[in-house]
Amino acid sequence: MICFDRDPESARLWRHFDAERSVLMLAPRRIGKTVLLNRLKGEAAKQGYNAVLLDVEGFRDERAFFRQLCAALQEELGFGQSLVSALTDRLRRTLGGTETFTDWRQILMNTEWKGFADHLMAQLEDDRSGLPWLLLVDEVPIFVGALLESSGPAAAHDFLYTLRNLRQKHPRVRWLFTGSIGLDAVARRHGLEGALADMEVFPLGPFDEATSLAFLDRLAARNRCKLEPAAARTILRRLGWYSPYYLEKLIDLACDEVGAGGSVTPASADRAAEHMLALERRAYWATWREHLDRNFPEPERSDLFTVLDAIALAPDGLRIDALLPALNHGGRVVDRSALGRLLDTLVADGYLDVATDGTTARFRMTLLRDWWRRYVAPRPEPEAQDA
Ligand SMILES: Nc1ncnc2c1ncn2[C@@H]1O[C@H](COP(=O)(O)OP(=O)(O)O)[C@@H](O)[C@H]1O
Ligand SMILES: [Mg+2]
């Protein structure tokens, strides 16, 4: 995947790394975190870093995390190989009882992971043979979630605080953690926020309008289509918030319809938006619903759905006060400040925007609102027909 633009973001990230800062980049799914990580990896050498990229989704314990990190380092051509063999020597020398092991994997399996991690970071820090190391770790919240599930809150706490200590002890090694939001909520619930407090928070937003228009032109050309300027505007209007993923899906659908050599018109762009909402494309949207189902316990989960349903059904956003009656039923008591926390969560996770005066809320992405209205929010009973 070639990264379109993101030039200012990557320049800002390199400045953070140059200042020996580690970065936490939490942003909604499909906004382009992994694409940006790959770009950083690709330009690391030019920027004066050795970088490894590690996706920790699917790992369930600390040893798996460090095994994979070490394997990624080893795969790095040039300095990685020699670094890992120096690490192995160091571990054999310093960790009691490991002299008989020849392989770092055996040592990791047979010793405490924290000691291993400490020596690994020290080795990376001391590696004066080459450039400083940058560790790009994707899907950290999913890993922390798995750790919570398999080993409980104490293990997650221990893991995150151990990494924090390692960052402080070895500042020459820079880290970038990314993930879809959720870590905030998880961290808050389990009192883990302090473990991330040293990291520079880096929000990754959607494309701006000019970038989106240029991106659409590029994708139309890739599909051998022309894109009428008014049609590009229709796509932006239907989407309402310019996530590269949804821009790409819409323009691809519109181009499919007009065929190679054709011209995308405002009407075909509108039809593409409707096609995006078709039931068979629910996979494009399902993550939005699943995120709430997976990451929030009851009764918070139901409250979040209640808020989103009510806002989806109001055509121009909803006055926040109007949400309280919807939440307070069947004996549930939700006050204004609890509602404020629900809205904060939904804003942070990319669903909603709250007006600057704090009185109304609306869906951030218009097309998501259309989808929510169609498939998630309970539709009002049809009006009784007048005889
Ligand atoms: N900068 C970009 N340039 C081109 N395509 C992008 C860009 N960012 C995101 N995309 C598109 O959106 C999809 C999702 O991006 P991805 O990086 O996987 O999101 P995330 O990791 O945030 O969930 C990509 O597969 C790609 O099609
Ligand atoms: Mg990703």
Side-chain angles (χ1 to χ4, degrees):
M1 166 55 54
I2 293 169
C3 183
F4 188 83
D5 199 298
R6 296 298 192 197
D7 296 349
E9 287 86 353
S10 79
R12 236 181 310 136
L13 286 164
W14 288 119
R15 280 201 297 278
H16 284 314
F17 300 139
D18 287 348
E20 292 200 347
R21 287 185 202 122
S22 287
V23 175
L24 179 63
M25 186 167 84
L26 300 176
R29 251 164 242 280
R30 291 167 173 176
I31 195 76
K33 299 179 293 298
T34 302
V35 169
L36 181 54
L37 283 191
N38 278 290
R39 173 187 166 141
L40 294 172
K41 166 93 173 83
E43 63 193 18
K46 201 177 75 203
Q47 294 287 340
Y49 292 85
N50 281 321
V52 287
L53 176 54
L54 180 69
D55 180 349
V56 295
E57 170 168 16
F59 302 155
R60 297 196 61 82
D61 61 41
E62 303 88 345
R63 281 200 176 82
F65 184 100
F66 285 102
R67 183 165 56 240
Q68 216 51 37
L69 176 55
C70 227
L73 288 164
Q74 200 168 24
E75 273 166 32
E76 248 332 88
L77 292 175
F79 297 116
Q81 281 283 358
S82 54
L83 181 130
V84 173
S85 50
L87 169 70
T88 309
D89 290 343
R90 176 189 197 121
L91 291 166
R92 292 175 62 211
R93 269 198 322 275
T94 49
L95 290 180
T98 56
E99 302 84 356
T100 52
F101 297 127
T102 51
D103 187 37
W104 62 266
R105 285 164 212 269
Q106 296 169 321
I107 301 174
L108 176 58
M109 287 311 293
N110 290 286
T111 57
E112 230 226 329
W113 67 267
K114 282 189 223 174
F116 183 94
D118 194 23
H119 284 289
L120 172 60
M121 290 307 130
Q123 193 68 43
L124 288 172
E125 172 101 2
D126 296 347
D127 177 26
R128 302 283 162 177
S129 61
L131 306 168
W133 284 91
L134 170 62
L135 312 178
L136 306 163
V137 190
D138 205 359
E139 302 294 7
V140 173
I142 297 182
F143 174 74
V144 173
L147 201 54
L148 275 165
E149 218 175 272
S150 63
S151 315
H157 190 275
D158 198 28
F159 176 76
L160 287 175
Y161 275 95
T162 301
L163 286 192
R164 177 177 174 162
N165 287 338
L166 292 175
R167 287 192 298 274
Q168 278 164 346
K169 203 164 149 196
H170 307 291
R172 194 164 177 261
V173 182
R174 283 78 157 172
W175 295 79
L176 171 58
F177 284 176
T178 71
S180 304
I181 327 207
L183 188 59
D184 284 31
V186 171
R188 239 178 284 135
R189 202 171 319 128
H190 297 283
L192 299 169
E193 287 154 302
L196 303 167
D198 62 306
M199 302 188 93
E200 189 72 30
V201 172
F202 188 95
L204 184 65
F207 281 170
D208 63 19
E209 189 175 304
T211 307
S212 303
L213 292 171
F215 186 51
L216 289 173
D217 276 336
R218 166 81 61 90
L219 296 175
R222 186 179 78 184
N223 287 315
R224 298 168 196 276
C225 285
K226 283 193 271 305
L227 174 63
E228 293 184 7
R233 302 239 159 243
T234 302
I235 289 176
L236 297 193
R237 179 177 52 76
R238 289 297 308 259
L239 210 46
W241 191 71
Y242 314 143
S243 149
Y245 174 83
Y246 290 102
L247 286 167
E248 182 177 0
K249 293 288 173 234
L250 277 175
I251 189 70
D252 283 354
L253 279 173
C255 290
D256 277 354
E257 192 194 334
V258 301
S263 223
V264 176
T265 62
S268 51
D270 239 337
R271 281 195 296 277
E274 288 307 311
H275 288 156
M276 275 295 283
L277 299 172
L279 193 58
E280 68 267 22
R281 299 216 161 69
R282 61 183 169 278
Y284 295 162
W285 304 102
T287 55
W288 291 93
R289 175 200 243 154
E290 283 164 13
H291 171 61
L292 302 183
D293 277 334
R294 275 205 202 123
N295 296 311
F296 296 92
E298 289 293 2
E300 197 179 355
R301 179 193 305 150
S302 293
D303 289 343
L304 292 167
F305 275 103
T306 302
V307 168
L308 288 172
D309 293 352
I311 295 174
L313 292 170
D316 300 307
L318 192 66
R319 284 193 64 78
I320 284 168
D321 293 337
L323 290 163
L324 284 171
L327 288 164
N328 287 294
H329 63 87
R332 241 1 247 102
V333 183
V334 177
D335 63 13
R336 193 69 179 66
S337 67
L339 171 59
R341 285 193 295 279
L342 294 171
L343 290 169
D344 285 348
T345 297
L346 292 169
V347 169
D349 289 9
Y351 295 78
L352 297 180
D353 279 325
V354 172
T356 40
D357 66 3
T359 55
T360 53
R362 58 167 65 240
F363 267 71
R364 187 170 295 169
M365 205 192 307
T366 312
L367 209 54
L368 176 61
R369 171 195 170 236
D370 293 344
W371 182 82
W372 203 273
R373 222 157 103 92
R374 198 171 291 187
Y375 298 111
V376 187
R379 267 151 291 175
E381 296 293 317
E383 307 238 328
Q385 295 287 314
D386 284 339

